[in-house]
Amino acid sequence: MSTFEILIYVLLLFNVLLNTYLLVRINKLVFNNKDIEHQMEEELKDFVVTEESAKQANEDKVEREETMPGSIDEENRQAKDAKEDSSEDSNEKDDKNNEAQHDEETHQQPCITPRTRLVTIVDSDKWKCYGISVQGNGHMINNLPCQDFHKIEMLDADKGIGVAVVSDGAGSKQNSDIGSQLVCEKSVQHLKEAIEKLNWSADNFPTANVWDGVIRVIVQLIQNDLFEHERTSQCSFDSLGATWMVMLFSPQKTYFAHIGDGRAGVLGKDGWKAVLTPHKGKEANQTVFITNKVLEEGLRISGVPVPETIVIDEPINAFVLMSDGCENGLWIKSRKENLPDGDFRYITQNTPFAPALNDILDRIQKYESKEYGQMLFKIINHYNKPLKNETDDKTLCLGFAIN
C-alpha cells in the first residue's frame, strides 16, 4: 500500500470520528435545551394567560425588528407593549382586613423559582421599596449561579432615611456571587456606622465633599472585608470582584456613589433623570470592580471619576437602581441620528425609559396581592422583549415616597 493510500485511509477514519463526536454533542445540546425549556415552563405555570396576551405572544413570534436594543427607536414599541401588558391582572386577591399601623416592615421573600436569588420588600410610613435579583438565561444554560445581589433597608424609618445597594458580580470571577453579597451587606453595615459616628440626620446632612470622603473610607473598609474573607475561606480576593452602587435616600436629599456599570435614576419634579454615568472600558462589557485599585487619586474611566459620588439637593418622588442586565429593556442607551448624506449613526445616550418605569411603578402601587415576588419576577423577565431575551443576571430595585 502506497503512502498516498495510507493517508487517504487516515483521513477517512478521522472524518468518521469527527462526525460521531459532533452527533453526540448535538444530542447533548438538544437534551439540555429541553431541560431548560421544561424549567422555564414550570416557572411560568402560575402566571395568568389571557386571550389578549396569547395573541400578543403570537404577534411577537413573527415580528422581526431591526432596531438596536435600548435605543430611542424602541420607545414607541415598548410603550405600546407596556400598555397592552397592563390588561393582565393577577387572579390572586387577598381578603381586605384592618391591619394595625406599623412604622416599618422589611422582609425577604423566599425564592419563588430556582432562578430567583432574592426578593426584598420594604414597607414604611415614608417609603415603599421593592427589589429582585434573578439568574439570567445565559447563566441557566451554563449552570452558573446568579451573581447579582441587592439590599434595601430603612436606617431611620421615622425620618424616612434608607439605603439601597446593588452589586453585579463579575462574570469572569469564580466567586463573584459571594463577592456581590458581601459588598451589599457590608455597605449597609459601614454606612450605618458612619451615620452614627458623624451624627447625620434629617437636620444635619453631609456636604458633597464629606460624602465623597466617607465613600472612599467605606470602599476601603469593604476591600478589607473581602481580604478578611479571603483569609478565612478558599476564595481569593480577586475572585470576589463585583460592581457597586449605593444610594442613601431621604425625603430631603439623596446621596449616591458607584464603581462599575449599571444604571440609576430618580423621579423628581421634572421627570426621570439619570444619576450616574457607567464606568465602561474600551471593549464591550468591560468595566471596573470594587476589587480593583479604585482609590488612586484622580482615577477616571471613560471620563468618569472612580468612585463617582453625587448629591441631589432636592426631594425625589421615586428612584430606580438596576444592574446592566436590565438596561436594554428599561433604559435608553442610544439614539439614531440621520446624516445629510442619507446615512445614519447612533449617539450614546443615558436616559431612563420613563414610559416603562412609570408603568411599572403604577402596577406596583395598584397591586392588590401581597405576593410581590411573583409580580416582580414577571416584570423583570417578561415585561418586554429585551428583558425576556436578556442572557445576563438581572437586578431591579425601585422605591417611591409616600406623600
Side-chain angles (χ1 to χ4, degrees):
M1 184 180 293
S2 67
T3 303
F4 179 76
E5 290 175 324
I6 293 174
L7 180 60
I8 292 297
Y9 281 119
V10 170
L11 289 174
L12 289 173
L13 178 62
F14 176 77
N15 187 52
V16 171
L17 292 174
L18 179 61
N19 287 336
T20 303
Y21 171 77
L22 290 175
L23 183 61
V24 170
R25 288 290 296 163
I26 289 171
N27 288 334
K28 185 176 180 180
L29 287 172
V30 170
F31 178 78
N32 287 341
N33 284 337
K34 288 182 178 178
D35 284 347
I36 292 166
E37 289 174 2
H38 174 71
Q39 182 178 354
M40 295 189 74
E41 286 176 1
E42 287 295 310
E43 292 171 359
L44 298 175
K45 66 181 179 180
D46 293 328
F47 291 153
V48 178
V49 179
T50 65
E51 182 178 358
E52 186 174 356
S53 65
K55 180 181 178 182
Q56 180 63 37
N58 185 60
E59 292 174 354
D60 289 345
K61 184 177 180 180
V62 299
E63 187 177 18
R64 295 292 182 269
E65 294 189 340
E66 312 239 336
T67 56
M68 290 179 61
S71 72
I72 199 169
D73 293 339
E74 281 191 282
E75 187 162 343
N76 291 333
R77 181 185 61 76
Q78 290 188 3
K80 179 183 177 182
D81 289 346
K83 184 177 180 181
E84 292 180 351
D85 282 345
S86 65
S87 65
E88 296 182 24
D89 297 324
S90 172
N91 287 336
E92 299 179 6
K93 293 188 178 180
D94 292 341
D95 294 332
K96 295 183 179 179
N97 52 54
N98 296 322
E99 295 182 345
Q101 281 280 17
H102 56 273
D103 290 336
E104 179 199 357
E105 180 182 352
T106 304
H107 63 274
Q108 295 178 354
Q109 295 186 356
C111 293
I112 58 172
T113 75
R115 293 185 62 185
T116 308
R117 184 177 188 184
L118 178 66
V119 173
T120 304
I121 314 295
V122 173
D123 187 0
S124 71
D125 288 341
K126 296 186 182 296
W127 291 90
K128 292 189 184 297
C129 306
Y130 307 86
I132 182 169
S133 296
V134 299
Q135 185 186 31
N137 296 334
H139 284 203
M140 284 186 64
I141 293 172
N142 295 309
N143 196 27
L144 295 173
C146 176
Q147 296 165 332
D148 278 13
F149 205 81
H150 72 271
K151 191 170 181 64
I152 311 173
E153 188 173 319
M154 295 305 297
L155 305 181
D156 189 334
D158 292 334
K159 295 181 179 178
I161 301 175
V163 60
V165 190
V166 170
S167 182
D168 180 358
S172 59
K173 307 298 182 181
Q174 182 178 1
N175 300 303
S176 62
D177 57 319
I178 300 172
S180 64
Q181 182 171 351
L182 286 171
V183 165
C184 290
E185 293 174 347
K186 294 300 182 180
S187 297
V188 174
Q189 174 190 327
H190 295 313
L191 192 54
K192 278 183 179 178
E193 294 168 352
I195 289 173
E196 292 174 2
K197 290 179 180 179
L198 299 175
N199 196 29
W200 290 356
S201 67
D203 302 319
N204 181 34
F205 281 110
T207 64
N209 287 338
V210 171
W211 172 247
D212 185 79
V214 168
I215 284 300
R216 290 180 171 276
V217 172
I218 290 177
V219 170
Q220 183 65 71
L221 291 172
I222 293 173
Q223 289 181 339
N224 292 344
D225 294 327
L226 298 180
F227 275 119
E228 177 63 18
H229 186 79
E230 176 188 53
R231 189 183 68 82
T232 58
S233 71
Q234 301 298 316
C235 303
S236 70
F237 175 80
D238 181 68
S239 75
L240 300 168
T243 65
W244 181 59
M245 287 188 288
V246 59
M247 175 177 282
L248 180 67
F249 56 89
S250 76
Q252 294 85 14
K253 292 186 176 185
T254 304
Y255 293 80
F256 187 82
H258 80 105
I259 294 171
D261 55 17
R263 304 283 177 171
V266 295
L267 176 62
K269 60 183 181 180
D270 298 323
W272 284 98
K273 67 177 181 179
V275 294
L276 75 81
T277 304
H279 295 124
K280 299 279 190 180
K282 294 181 179 179
E283 303 296 330
N285 299 322
Q286 188 179 46
T287 188
V288 63
F289 306 110
I290 200 166
T291 47
N292 297 137
K293 295 180 180 180
V294 294
L295 294 176
E296 296 179 359
E297 193 66 32
L299 177 62
R300 288 177 173 267
I301 295 179
S302 59
V304 184
V306 183
E308 183 184 27
T309 58
I310 299 103
V311 178
I312 301 173
D313 288 314
E314 61 183 22
I316 63 171
N317 300 318
F319 67 81
V320 61
L321 304 179
M322 66 183 74
S323 61
D324 62 346
C326 290
E327 64 182 13
N328 285 337
L330 300 176
W331 217 259
I332 300 173
K333 302 188 300 178
S334 62
R335 63 181 176 87
K336 185 177 179 180
E337 181 182 79
N338 294 319
L339 300 176
D341 60 0
D343 201 354
F344 64 89
R345 63 180 177 178
Y346 284 100
I347 298 177
T348 300
Q349 193 164 334
N350 182 19
T351 307
F353 184 46
L357 294 176
N358 289 335
D359 180 61
I360 291 172
L361 282 176
D362 186 59
R363 292 187 190 199
I364 291 174
Q365 294 178 62
K366 292 179 178 178
Y367 196 63
E368 296 183 5
S369 171
K370 289 189 177 180
E371 298 298 326
Y372 284 103
Q374 291 189 13
M375 177 197 62
L376 293 172
F377 179 85
K378 185 175 181 181
I379 287 173
I380 203 169
N381 285 306
H382 302 281
Y383 183 78
N384 55 27
K385 285 183 182 177
L387 289 177
K388 183 177 180 179
N389 297 332
E390 180 58 54
T391 60
D392 198 4
D393 295 335
K394 292 171 284 191
T395 290
L396 180 65
C397 293
L398 289 157
F400 59 89
I402 305 300
N403 298 322

